[in-house]
């Protein structure tokens, strides 16, 4: 029934196409169908998220060659982020993990339901998640790539503060 949401079954990073592992088990056939489609189109698949990792495409945003955003919360978990980091599947120097620790509402289950990138220095964000005082705020942990893999370069930065700092770069 959810196959119409074709953004969920895979993400396209700077490194290539990664097949997701959807959280609801009833959506498992969608992964197989889209994997089949990509193979028929001769699109190279560079990785596949394995349990206990769960990843859905609505939680991922590429933001150029240096940075990407990945949300964790109801549908995408930390295990998936760790797999992507360990296997170097993001293809960016920095990864901003936007963590939904306080809200966890089905209406705002994906990063793309509260945030979108409109341009190089412009984004749209749901007002109720903004600010350190917001009960539905998101916190960012940033990972930066080094010769030994990714390391935590920033931790628990409120999402809008993180965005303001990025736009100011």
């Amino acid at each position: 029934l959810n196959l119409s949401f074709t953004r969920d079954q895979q993400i396209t990073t700077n490194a290539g196409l990664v097949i997701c592992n959807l959280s609801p088990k009833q959506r498992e056939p969608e992964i197989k169908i889209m994997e089949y489609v990509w193979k028929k189109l001769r699109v190279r698949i560079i990785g596949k998220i394995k349990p206990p990792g769960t990843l859905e495409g609505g939680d991922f945003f590429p933001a150029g060659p240096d940075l990407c955003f990945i949300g964790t919360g109801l549908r995408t978990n930390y295990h998936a982020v760790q797999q992507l980091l360990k296997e170097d599947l993001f293809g960016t120097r920095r990864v901003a993990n936007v963590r939904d620790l306080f809200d966890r509402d089905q209406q705002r289950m994906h990063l793309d339901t509260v945030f979108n990138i409109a341009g190089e220095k412009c984004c749209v964000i749901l007002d109720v998640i903004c600010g350190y005082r917001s009960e539905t705020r998101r916190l960012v942990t940033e990972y930066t790539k080094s010769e030994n893999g990714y390391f935590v370069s920033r931790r628990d930065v409120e999402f809008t503060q993180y965005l303001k700092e990025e736009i100011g770069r």
Side-chain angles (χ1 to χ4, degrees):
L1 294 174
N2 286 314
L3 191 55
S4 60
F5 299 109
T6 57
R7 64 129 159 56
D8 283 338
Q9 298 82 11
Q10 65 282 308
I11 62 173
T12 304
T13 70
N14 283 2
L17 188 91
V18 177
I19 299 295
C20 296
N21 181 33
L22 304 180
S23 183
K25 290 302 157 203
Q26 68 268 25
R27 294 189 70 189
E28 198 170 301
E30 297 172 45
I31 299 167
K32 293 176 182 172
I33 291 168
M34 290 308 295
E35 189 171 6
Y36 174 81
V37 168
W38 293 119
K39 287 179 179 177
K40 277 299 209 186
L41 292 171
R42 293 188 172 105
V43 174
R44 183 172 164 262
I45 297 169
I46 63 163
K48 190 172 181 178
I49 298 301
K50 299 165 192 68
T54 59
L55 171 63
E56 294 194 14
D59 284 319
F60 179 76
F61 280 95
D66 184 57
L67 177 67
C68 67
F69 293 90
I70 186 154
T72 50
L74 288 179
R75 295 296 180 95
T76 297
N77 66 22
Y78 181 70
H79 297 289
V81 173
Q82 288 301 301
Q83 284 180 45
L84 291 159
L85 290 168
K86 184 179 177 185
E87 296 175 30
D88 198 14
L89 299 176
F90 285 113
T92 55
R93 187 178 66 84
R94 295 180 303 137
V95 175
N97 178 202
V98 183
R99 297 168 20 247
D100 175 6
L101 302 170
F102 309 104
D103 188 19
R104 302 186 70 82
D105 186 283
Q106 190 71 16
Q107 296 278 326
R108 296 172 295 278
M109 70 177 143
H110 288 304
L111 185 57
D112 73 0
T113 63
V114 298
F115 167 76
N116 210 318
I117 298 172
E120 189 175 323
K121 299 227 179 233
C122 181
C123 65
V124 179
I125 189 166
L126 183 65
D127 61 347
V128 298
I129 72 163
C130 297
Y132 279 105
R133 293 185 180 178
S134 169
E135 293 180 5
T136 58
R137 70 191 173 278
R138 306 299 194 264
L139 298 178
V140 175
T141 296
E142 181 186 81
Y143 298 88
T144 300
K145 190 174 181 180
S146 74
E147 57 199 32
N148 299 322
Y150 285 92
F151 67 93
V152 174
S153 49
R154 299 171 72 190
R155 186 183 310 273
D156 294 336
V157 181
E158 190 271 327
F159 190 28
T160 54
Q161 181 63 40
Y162 184 86
L163 294 170
K164 287 175 187 174
E165 291 170 11
E166 281 303 305
I167 288 172
R169 280 182 179 245

